[in-house]
């Protein structure tokens, strides 16, 4: 049996600085090219999201990544997993493995919306009432812990080798930062990108307080899986998307300690504090939310 390794030179010394640069670049760019109007202090949210991310990131780097690499090493040494059983040549194994890793992460995201225990953890991420690149780190450490078994198991079933696992992980992290960012790309450019990638506009819809929109655009890297399963949603002006969860509308109460203990809170009905359910009006596609002054005519 291979030993667990904890240091990955390519990832730590090459991919990580590139990812850090990408995050910093998006963080600055979203100040200039604003996609959705923000309602809270970016500094305050950055501090909160980074504080939540710190423990989650520790789990990712100290446990998730080593276990995923270990699973990939065991699978490739034993020639275990789908890409080996199909007897494919190496390049085809790589391409199919990459696609399947992304497909299994689509399903993981669907599970976090539908399995109550996972939903309790995942709502920490969705409770952010504005969305930018820092939301992309705001994952409860418990969600990362539960993903270890799932992602490690899927890597073994796919038969992804360790190099592919590391390279996919770097792309996964980069795409997560990108599609959470509040960067307004020219609509035409984003439409082109959206043919092959999950984009900020698409993922913004996923963070809507309207339940059907929250249950759409689950993909991480590729949008194909959403199209395949009918969960793809695109035609929605971003100024009409209200970010967050309906049951959590008081940003001041969402402190770092509250977010860490949120998984122990009961699951609340999908309704605003006044009991009304946010819906997209059929005619004007506005959202029913008290105090929401955003105009329905603000297209883009
Ligand atoms: Zn989600």
């Amino acid at each position: 049996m291979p030993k667990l390794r904890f240091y990955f030179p390519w990832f730590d010394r090459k991919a990580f600085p590139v990812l850090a640069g990408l995050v910093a670049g998006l963080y600055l760019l979203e100040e200039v090219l604003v996609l959705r109007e923000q309602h809270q202090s970016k500094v305050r949210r950055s501090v909160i999201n980074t504080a939540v991310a710190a423990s989650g990131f520790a789990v990712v780097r100290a446990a998730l990544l080593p276990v995923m690499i270990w699973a990939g090493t065991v699978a490739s040494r034993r020639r275990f997993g789908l890409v080996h059983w199909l007897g494919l040549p190496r390049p085809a194994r790589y391409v199919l493995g990459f696609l399947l890793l992304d497909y299994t992460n689509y399903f993981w995201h669907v599970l976090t919306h539908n399995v109550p225990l996972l939903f309790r953890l995942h709502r920490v991420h969705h409770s952010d009432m504005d969305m930018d690149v820092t939301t992309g780190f705001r994952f409860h450490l418990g969600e990362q812990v539960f993903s270890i078994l799932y992602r490690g198991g899927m890597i073994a079933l796919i038969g992804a080798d360790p190099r592919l696992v590391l390279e996919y992980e770097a792309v996964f992290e980069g795409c997560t930062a990108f599609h959470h960012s509040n960067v307004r790309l020219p609509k035409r450019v984003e439409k082109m990108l959206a043919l092959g990638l999950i984009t900020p506009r698409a993922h913004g819809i996923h963070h809507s307080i309207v339940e059907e929109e929250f249950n759409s655009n689950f993909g991480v890297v590729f949008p194909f899986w959403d199209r395949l399963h009918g969960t793809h949603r695109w035609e929605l002006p971003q100024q009409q998307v209200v970010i967050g969860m309906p049951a959590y509308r008081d940003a001041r109460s969402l402190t770092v300690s509250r977010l860490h203990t949120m998984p122990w809170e009961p699951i609340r009905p999908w309704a605003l504090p006044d009991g009304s359910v946010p819906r997209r009006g059929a005619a004007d596609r506005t959202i029913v939310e008290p105090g929401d002054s955003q105009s329905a005519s603000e297209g883009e």
Side-chain angles (χ1 to χ4, degrees):
M1 274 289 179
K3 279 190 185 156
L4 264 182
R5 286 196 295 131
F6 292 93
Y7 177 54
F8 311 105
W10 178 82
F11 191 86
D12 293 326
R13 288 166 50 184
K14 293 196 172 152
F16 185 77
V18 172
L19 288 168
L22 175 71
V23 168
L26 289 168
Y27 191 85
L28 296 174
L29 200 60
E30 64 192 5
E31 287 298 290
V32 186
L33 304 171
V34 182
L35 178 58
R36 290 168 297 265
E37 184 197 339
Q38 304 281 281
H39 303 92
Q40 303 163 65
S41 146
K42 180 156 178 168
V43 174
R44 180 175 183 271
R45 285 186 47 260
S46 301
V47 170
I48 290 171
N49 289 350
T50 308
V52 173
S55 53
F57 183 73
V59 172
V60 169
R61 187 58 197 82
L64 175 64
L65 204 55
V67 169
M68 290 197 301
I69 297 301
W70 181 82
T73 307
V74 174
S76 54
R77 282 193 193 169
R78 300 185 173 208
R79 304 191 65 73
F80 181 89
L82 191 67
V83 298
H84 297 289
W85 299 332
L86 290 173
L88 298 170
R90 203 182 167 85
R93 284 209 305 268
Y94 187 92
V95 172
L96 183 63
F98 196 100
L99 288 168
L100 290 177
L101 285 175
D102 198 51
Y103 196 23
T104 56
N105 281 313
Y106 166 89
F107 279 119
W108 171 252
H109 195 175
V110 172
L111 288 175
T112 61
H113 280 226
N114 291 287
V115 175
L117 173 66
L118 298 177
F119 176 72
R120 282 168 177 259
L121 297 157
H122 190 59
R123 67 188 163 168
V124 172
H125 174 64
H126 277 274
S127 64
D128 203 348
M129 290 175 62
D130 279 319
M131 191 172 109
D132 62 16
V133 69
T134 70
T135 313
F137 322 136
R138 178 180 164 133
F139 286 97
H140 194 276
L141 75 143
E143 184 171 346
Q144 308 287 18
V145 168
F146 279 105
S147 75
I148 294 173
L149 203 63
Y150 177 87
R151 294 186 69 190
M154 288 300 151
I155 284 164
L157 281 178
I158 292 167
D161 71 38
R163 195 184 126 203
L164 167 60
V165 173
L166 279 179
E167 288 175 0
Y168 175 77
E169 189 60 21
V171 173
F172 173 101
E173 299 294 347
C175 285
T176 300
F178 171 63
H179 65 230
H180 282 95
S181 77
N182 196 34
V183 172
R184 174 187 281 271
L185 295 168
K187 189 102 190 257
R188 212 181 300 162
V189 173
E190 185 159 338
K191 254 190 160 165
M192 291 262 291
L193 279 176
L195 296 173
L197 280 179
I198 298 285
T199 63
R201 281 178 172 90
H203 201 71
I205 295 169
H206 178 77
H207 278 255
S208 163
I209 63 167
V210 176
E211 194 171 13
E212 303 82 68
E213 293 166 8
F214 163 78
N215 284 316
S216 69
N217 299 352
F218 290 102
V220 180
V221 177
F222 300 122
F224 320 137
W225 324 123
D226 281 296
R227 291 181 188 276
L228 192 64
H229 293 283
T231 52
H232 179 259
R233 218 173 261 262
W234 174 255
E235 291 302 329
L236 192 59
Q238 293 292 308
Q239 294 309 322
Q240 294 174 18
V241 177
V242 176
I243 300 288
M245 301 202 73
Y248 300 93
R249 300 313 295 162
D250 179 10
R252 285 161 308 173
S253 72
L254 298 172
T255 58
V256 174
S257 60
R258 168 94 186 278
L259 291 170
H260 274 111
T261 55
M262 190 180 269
W264 282 272
E265 293 179 16
I267 293 175
R268 300 182 182 184
W270 194 273
L272 292 161
D274 68 1
S276 63
V277 176
R279 290 187 205 286
R280 182 75 50 194
D284 57 8
R285 299 193 298 183
T286 50
I287 285 183
V288 184
E289 192 193 24
D292 178 28
S293 59
Q294 285 173 346
S295 158
S297 62
E298 259 181 293
E300 57 198 84

